[in-house]
Amino acid sequence: DAKTTQPNSMESNEEEPVHLPCNHSTISGTDYIHWYRQLPSQGPEYVIHGLTSNVNNRMASLAIAEDRKSSTLILHRATLRDAAVYYCILRAYSGAGSYQLTFGKGTKLSVIP
Amino acid sequence: DAGVTQSPTHLIKTRGQQVTLRCSPKSGHDTVSWYQQALGQGPQFIFQYYEEEERQRGNFPDRFSGHQFPNYSSELNVNALLLGDSALYLCASSRGEGQGYGFNQPQHFGDGTRLSIL
């Protein structure tokens, strides 16, 4: 699987925007970029995914570089509930069923009140 | 609508014993994946079940086995437990791709079973 690189940790003030970067320089043309987050004492939670175009949903926005070698997850107004570990994942599809997720260590986001 | 449920939430075993963990997928989901998460690490893929068969497997020994039932629920079995098997075991469910639901269906995770080996 193509690898991703994320900062170990980031801090943000509450109610300010947060930009979480991810580098994936070896991404292939068919790799989708997925983001999941894991709140303390919970299982991971799907956030957003994309292929080439920028994507928006109720939780976040995903900005993908034109060469697809990097992407940025944008939380428009951080809340205390957004404090979590954020994982950037390139999905590998292997046939019938669903895809497997290859998690790295992610970025631990702290939100300061 | 219940999400993914896992049981038990916590479990303590000793080395050499065997353990069975259970997972009920979210309603409408037919694919179940299992992950192991050691303290301070990201989850690691163990295997995935679809149509009652193991479809994909990560880099885990044969001591780790599983099963999927006709109602799509699943079990993870670990034999000959080692101290290193202490971890949070996560179950994720999703809709199988190629079934008309499209690709990249989100995986929904349960909150896991915390397994401690003494």
Side-chain angles (χ1 to χ4, degrees), chain A residues 6-89:
Chain A
Q6 300 177 253
N8 290 332
S9 62
M10 291 184 63
E11 275 187 357
S12 172
N13 293 318
E14 193 177 10
E15 298 188 4
E16 300 215 342
V18 183
H19 291 234
L20 297 163
C22 180
N23 287 320
H24 29 78
S25 59
T26 59
I27 190 171
S28 74
T30 56
D31 285 340
Y32 281 79
I33 302 158
H34 285 242
W35 284 81
Y36 281 72
R37 72 180 185 180
Q38 188 170 20
L39 279 64
S41 302
Q42 294 187 24
E45 173 187 32
Y46 167 81
V47 177
I48 201 167
H49 76 270
L51 182 63
T52 54
S53 305
N54 294 344
V55 184
N56 301 295
N57 66 21
R58 63 173 181 81
M59 289 181 69
S61 296
L62 177 59
I64 302 173
E66 199 169 329
D67 63 5
R68 300 206 332 122
K69 294 186 176 182
S70 65
S71 60
T72 302
L73 179 71
I74 302 165
L75 307 179
H76 295 287
R77 283 180 76 241
T79 69
L80 296 179
R81 196 195 172 277
D82 292 321
V85 178
Y86 287 78
Y87 297 99
C88 169
I89 301 165

Side-chain angles (χ1 to χ4, degrees), chain B:
Chain B
D1 177 23
V4 177
T5 57
Q6 293 187 243
S7 63
T9 54
H10 294 84
L11 202 50
I12 300 174
K13 291 286 187 177
T14 57
R15 281 180 296 173
Q17 285 189 311
Q18 178 264 343
V19 69
T20 298
L21 310 181
R22 295 176 175 81
C23 173
S24 292
K26 181 178 169 64
S27 177
H29 288 183
D30 56 10
T31 302
V32 173
S33 302
W34 287 92
Y35 293 81
Q36 179 195 65
Q37 186 173 24
L39 208 58
Q41 305 294 316
Q44 301 299 303
F45 176 75
I46 303 175
F47 44 53
Q48 182 181 96
Y49 278 83
Y50 172 67
E51 294 184 329
E52 301 181 48
E53 290 188 16
E54 182 183 296
R55 299 289 180 163
Q56 302 175 46
R57 190 177 184 94
N59 188 24
F60 279 81
D62 292 345
R63 298 187 298 108
F64 289 78
S65 64
H67 189 77
Q68 185 179 36
F69 299 94
N71 67 353
Y72 308 119
S73 66
S74 177
E75 288 182 350
L76 164 65
N77 301 295
V78 187
N79 294 323
L81 287 166
L82 304 173
L83 292 178
D85 295 331
S86 294
L88 180 68
Y89 289 84
L90 295 160
C91 170
S93 74
S94 58
R95 289 170 170 154
E97 299 187 335
Q99 298 299 309
Y101 298 115
F103 294 102
N104 293 293
Q105 293 293 316
Q107 295 197 10
H108 293 248
F109 285 79
D111 288 336
T113 294
R114 172 71 63 187
L115 176 63
S116 299
I117 311 300
L118 302 180

